[in-house]
Amino acid sequence: IVELRQISKHYVMAGNPIKVLENINFHLVAGERVAIMGTSGSGKTTLMNILGLLDHPSSGQYFLNGQEVNSLTEDERAALRNRTIGFVFQAFFLLPRLTILQNVSLPLHYRGCDKITATERAQQMLAKVGLAPLIHHKPNQLSGGQQQRAAIARALIGNPAVILADEPTGALDSQTGQLIMDLFAELNAKEKVTIIIVTHDPKIAEQCQRIVHIRDGKIA
Amino acid sequence: IVELRQISKHYVMAGNPIKVLENINFHLVAGERVAIMGTSGSGKTTLMNILGLLDHPSSGQYFLNGQEVNSLTEDERAALRNRTIGFVFQAFFLLPRLTILQNVSLPLHYRGCDKITATERAQQMLAKVGLAPLIHHKPNQLSGGQQQRAAIARALIGNPAVILADEPTGALDSQTGQLIMDLFAELNAKEKVTIIIVTHDPKIAEQCQRIVHIRDGKIA
Ligand SMILES: Nc1ncnc2c1ncn2[C@@H]1O[C@H](COP(=O)(O)OP(=O)(O)OP(=O)(O)O)[C@@H](O)[C@H]1O
Ligand SMILES: Nc1ncnc2c1ncn2[C@@H]1O[C@H](COP(=O)(O)OP(=O)(O)OP(=O)(O)O)[C@@H](O)[C@H]1O
Ligand SMILES: [Mg+2]
Ligand SMILES: [Mg+2]
């Protein structure tokens, strides 16, 4: 379902190229649960942004569900992303002026879902991550781990085929982190959702079927 | 050096009071290294914000270096905070339009330190956390763990007597996290800096002299 061929990414700063990813080859079949590990700065978030159609590689090809995505228009990429991918960002990116109930309903609004159904499903998803009493809080009225869980709820609400989770338990105690891993495992088992988790935590990585290591922008 | 007596904190939302901290009693002598652990939402960041003079408790007293801080003016609190406390925030709070070299020099500028010395010391501190080649990057040109390390460098640069670190290794792989713990241990041993670390990671907590557990806003 996901295939990267010779993906490379570099930035240019002060005229010098900074290589971040080099010749990444990677493929996953539907329903796989993969962990990506690597030291700080090794390229994990950059890889996730390319997988999530939020960034373009400098070279190489990316096939999502058999479709080469770099040749699509920006609108087609955005539509494909909304339908197929749920992204839990390392920095959460919740909208500060909306309550988390509104934040979590947003992906369904973009699909034209009616307000009542969207709100109901957002409420259910927030309950699943343990945030039921806090649905009317804005992000700055929540703890770090509560914000992270709201970001997870938002990523899951559209029933995506692929979940990209960038350090989804980084701000969580081990008990709450396990709640999230159980939720991912359930989606993986029942609905064959493909899950890619970036993590620094070996206990989280061990719960995946495969672990991929990234070192200096290459798959080790 | 730090004493909290009967500290309580609540918020009011939609007319209802939400109790976050209740009757916290806590004291530390200079040079202690303490870990604070507790589930997501238990009140750790709220406690740290009160300790860091960034927030006022709803009731109770806080003595820092023998001085009761709630009775000081806002200017006096700000001055005391700049002199005494180095805070590593859970959400980093780096200024987005400055390079990390500029971000880390900022506390020294506020003290009237000259630009050359401030820049030199910022460069040294950034080298200590492994960010030497990246000093001219802005925060959005860095990985999550690199931003966290820049925030740590900024907290340490003013030689504070008290370091408050809210999940300082949350975005770091274990090797880089240990680099940071070694740095804290060195400050603790050589300069008697008092260190309070909020963490979800038992391996980090075990490296402290004492572990305090918070549950539902109370010390367990
Ligand atoms: N402005 C606010 N208004 C209402 N409730 C708030 C506000 N800020 C925080 N809270 C609530 O206070 C509680 C404690 O928050 P705090 O950030 O101290 O938790 P924490 O222990 O740091 O959690 P984490 O481990 O997830 O970072 C949470 O339940 C949160 O929802
Ligand atoms: N806009 C940019 N310009 C220049 N360099 C960048 C930019 N964005 C990221 N980088 C660099 O790319 C490298 C990889 O960053 P990335 O965010 O992918 O790391 P990561 O593996 O997710 O790290 P972490 O575990 O700390 O989150 C880093 O060294 C970073 O400094
Ligand atoms: Mg990252
Ligand atoms: Mg917190």
Side-chain angles (χ1 to χ4, degrees), chain A residues 39-41 43-46 48 90 166-167 198 200, chain B residues 142-145 171:
Chain A
T39 57
S40 174
K44 308 178 294 298
T45 294
T46 305
M48 293 289 265
Q90 189 170 7
D166 198 346
E167 300 192 38
V198 166
H200 286 304
Chain B
L142 294 173
S143 77

Side-chain angles (χ1 to χ4, degrees), chain A residues 143-145, chain B residues 44-45 90 166-167 198:
Chain A
S143 79
Chain B
K44 307 180 295 297
T45 293
Q90 187 170 8
D166 197 347
E167 299 192 39
V198 167

Side-chain angles (χ1 to χ4, degrees), chain A residues 10-13 18-21 38-49 90 166-167 198 200 214, chain B residues 134 137-147 149 171-173:
Chain A
H10 65 266
Y11 293 103
V12 181
M13 261 185 75
I18 300 181
K19 282 191 189 165
V20 178
L21 296 175
T39 57
S40 174
S42 52
K44 308 178 294 298
T45 294
T46 305
L47 181 62
M48 293 289 265
N49 286 339
Q90 189 170 7
D166 198 346
E167 300 192 38
V198 166
H200 286 304
I214 297 200
Chain B
L134 303 173
H137 286 231
K138 296 198 173 69
N140 68 353
Q141 294 170 320
L142 294 173
S143 77
Q146 291 165 346
Q147 292 173 20
R149 283 182 275 160
L172 303 176
D173 54 276

